[in-house]
Amino acid sequence: MSHLYISAAQKSSGKTTLSIGLCRAWRDAGLRVQPFKKGPDYIDPLWLTEACSRPCYNLDFHTMGRAEIRDAFAQELDTADFGLIEGNVGLFDSIDPAGSNSNAELAKLLGAPVVLVINCHGMGRGIVPLLLGYQAFDRELNLAGVILNKVGGNRHARNLIAAIEHYTDLPVLGVMHRDDDIEIAERHLGLMPSNEADAAEAWIDRIRGRVAEQVDLSRLLAIAEGAPRPRSPAPSPLILAPAGDPVRIGIARDAAFGFYYPDDLRALAAAGAELVELSPLADRELPSVDALYIGGGFPECRMAELEANRGMREQIADFIARGGPVYAECGGLMYLCEAIGWKGERHEMVGALKAEVRLHARPQGRGYVRLRETSDFPWPGEAVGGAREIPAHEFHHSSVVAPDPDWRYGYDVLRGVGIDGAHDGIVQGHLLACYSHLRDVGGVDWTRRFVDHVRRCLGA
């Protein structure tokens, strides 16, 4: 099975736009393209999912072991013709000075040839020592070629190619000229999510057209076909289907809420959940559900519409007050507070949590976190043990204004910010609301534990 790793010298080099175009071009050519994204991320995977018409899966050293990454990669690639892995940040960037969790290490782990995307704006012959340094830095890495991005014009392109061909043996696989028409709008946490872009399909097709014109797709495919076949995944343990009827979990999905990992949703279903989609923006009534899962997103960008849907806000507040089990992450936490304040405006939200949130210009929490479950953690079971440590991540520009001093928390924060720098996971009845995002990998097993919690609440 062919696969390819798209990386860059630094972030904001254009690798996401290129990856979207490649995925759509190969999908349109009849290939089953399986996208992957390195690290914790929701927004880029939404675009890649849309481009490929297949869910994008995250591969992340912080939350997954090396064997688990290899197995997940092989499993998802097994039903595809081609795998494309989009990196994050720069090729060799890592929070570990030894680079143990870098894109380069992930590419080597997967045996994936790397295509390096270079932002060439303002760059000339100086591209040569950059490329020579990248080649020499890690000889075990299969650096297969380079794509020049944001090139100024034909003369600029000729000068860059001539210098690269004279001094290096790296093939130039494409030249993408500067083009504002294919730039995806950005906001405080990166690209605008595709679930908010009304013209996402047209945008993707426009990107596909530019990429198909300016990148050597056939040569890229040939490089990908030379990648070693992924090792077959280890046999999965036998999982017995849960007894009884499935529990109905309402999941908030619309332009305000859309940050969910597809493998987590799959795990919820395997644990015995029937997922019922609902829109806090558009739906006037809460469907008949046993629990709620309100994930992340950008409620601040839709706060007037969320406020206007008073009926939904009141019904969710009543569901929580009656002891309904709820799990909320980041944007979901914001929605459950009394109000959101941003850019001089204030809009009322659900009000189940007696505090307001405020948006800031700078991130309040961003990156990897490590949590330790407290005795107040609401999903008890044999896996909890009272002091379980959980790897997770957070991305938020908001903060809780004047947290209630009487709040109980499900997590002590060992690394990261959470609610107040020391705690995360507000516990209120059967509600758990936190800034941290969980993944059901690395033995965290949050999906089964949540479903079991719902069953206990129902007395099932």
Side-chain angles (χ1 to χ4, degrees):
M1 286 163 277
S2 307
H3 55 281
L4 195 67
Y5 202 114
I6 303 296
S7 191
Q10 62 190 46
K11 63 178 295 185
S12 301
S13 294
K15 58 185 179 296
T16 300
T17 301
L18 175 68
S19 296
I20 290 168
L22 292 173
C23 284
R24 177 53 63 89
W26 283 322
R27 191 211 71 169
D28 288 354
L31 292 177
R32 296 172 299 172
V33 183
Q34 178 57 59
F36 300 90
K37 173 69 182 184
K38 181 188 181 292
D41 190 357
Y42 293 106
I43 298 175
D44 292 358
L46 283 170
W47 282 100
L48 294 171
T49 294
E50 187 85 14
C52 292
S53 303
R54 291 174 70 100
C56 178
Y57 293 92
N58 295 69
L59 305 172
D60 175 33
F61 285 118
H62 179 65
T63 52
M64 306 169 74
R66 294 172 68 87
E68 187 176 13
I69 289 174
R70 282 195 302 261
D71 287 350
F73 180 67
Q75 177 182 320
E76 303 304 336
L77 198 54
D78 189 52
T79 59
D81 301 311
F82 183 90
L84 185 143
I85 310 115
E86 185 203 339
N88 65 343
V89 295
L91 177 60
F92 294 112
D93 291 337
S94 173
I95 59 175
D96 172 20
S100 62
N101 51 21
S102 66
N103 289 279
E105 287 302 310
L106 181 59
K108 290 191 293 184
L109 178 66
L110 303 177
V114 174
V115 173
L116 196 63
V117 181
I118 301 294
N119 179 353
C120 296
H121 178 69
M123 182 175 286
R125 185 170 174 263
I127 195 173
V128 172
L130 172 68
L131 295 178
L132 290 174
Y134 271 66
Q135 283 187 296
F137 190 73
D138 188 344
R139 295 293 186 182
E140 295 179 6
L141 183 69
N142 179 7
L143 191 54
V146 61
I147 291 177
L148 310 180
N149 194 28
K150 300 185 181 180
V151 175
N154 291 333
R155 184 171 66 177
H156 188 199
R158 286 194 300 269
N159 291 341
L160 289 167
I161 293 171
I164 293 169
E165 290 181 344
H166 182 77
Y167 288 101
T168 84
D169 58 357
L170 280 174
V172 176
L173 303 167
V175 177
M176 296 287 296
H177 292 271
R178 282 201 302 268
D179 190 343
D180 293 339
D181 288 343
I182 61 172
E183 291 290 330
I184 300 172
E186 293 198 15
R187 61 158 63 115
H188 36 287
L189 289 182
L191 300 181
M192 177 184 290
S194 63
N195 64 316
E196 291 189 53
D198 295 334
E201 271 296 307
W203 218 324
I204 291 170
D205 278 332
R206 187 160 61 247
I207 294 170
R208 177 205 57 79
R210 301 293 198 279
V211 169
E213 292 168 1
Q214 300 177 85
V215 175
D216 192 336
L217 299 180
S218 297
R219 200 168 180 186
L220 280 175
L221 273 179
I223 290 170
E225 287 167 358
R229 184 182 182 88
R231 189 171 65 190
S232 297
S236 300
L238 179 63
I239 300 176
L240 298 176
D245 295 331
V247 297
R248 288 170 56 85
I249 298 179
I251 177 171
R253 294 190 92 166
D254 55 22
F257 305 98
F259 292 175
Y260 302 98
Y261 289 115
D263 36 349
D264 281 13
L265 301 184
R266 185 170 61 192
L268 281 168
E274 176 189 350
L275 299 180
V276 181
E277 292 196 5
L278 61 97
S279 170
L281 285 171
D283 293 343
R284 297 303 167 188
E285 294 185 358
L286 188 66
S288 176
V289 294
D290 303 312
L292 292 175
Y293 175 22
I294 309 175
F298 290 104
E300 66 271 24
C301 296
R302 302 278 181 158
M303 58 187 185
E305 297 164 73
L306 290 168
E307 180 184 53
N309 194 354
R310 182 173 179 175
M312 177 60 79
R313 291 190 290 114
E314 291 179 344
Q315 289 178 53
I316 291 176
D318 181 64
F319 182 85
I320 294 171
R322 288 186 288 107
V326 178
Y327 176 46
E329 288 184 342
C330 199
L333 178 155
M334 297 167 63
Y335 179 56
L336 296 183
C337 286
E338 292 181 312
I340 296 175
W342 188 37
K343 294 183 176 179
E345 296 185 22
R346 178 189 177 277
H347 291 273
E348 293 186 358
M349 295 292 118
V350 171
L353 297 173
K354 302 307 177 184
E356 298 192 7
V357 293
R358 181 179 301 144
L359 271 291
H360 304 269
R362 298 180 63 83
Q364 302 301 293
R366 185 170 188 168
Y368 291 133
V369 301
R370 197 156 197 90
L371 310 169
R372 183 171 57 218
E373 292 176 2
T374 71
S375 58
D376 286 318
F377 190 80
W379 307 337
E382 71 281 359
V384 177
R388 182 185 177 96
E389 290 191 11
I390 301 293
H393 62 95
E394 61 182 344
F395 298 86
H396 55 100
H397 274 241
S398 72
S399 65
V400 176
V401 179
D404 188 332
D406 294 327
W407 274 347
R408 295 180 297 123
Y409 294 97
Y411 299 119
D412 291 326
V413 175
L414 306 180
R415 182 184 193 274
V417 177
I419 302 294
D420 59 5
H423 308 95
D424 203 3
I426 305 163
V427 178
Q428 184 173 290
H430 294 303
L431 163 67
L432 175 67
C434 50
Y435 269 124
S436 297
H437 298 277
L438 298 182
R439 287 196 67 199
D440 196 275
V441 292
V444 170
D445 196 25
W446 79 262
T447 56
R448 179 192 59 80
R449 295 164 66 195
F450 181 56
V451 171
D452 288 348
H453 173 66
V454 175
R455 290 189 183 280
R456 283 192 295 270
C457 291
L458 294 171

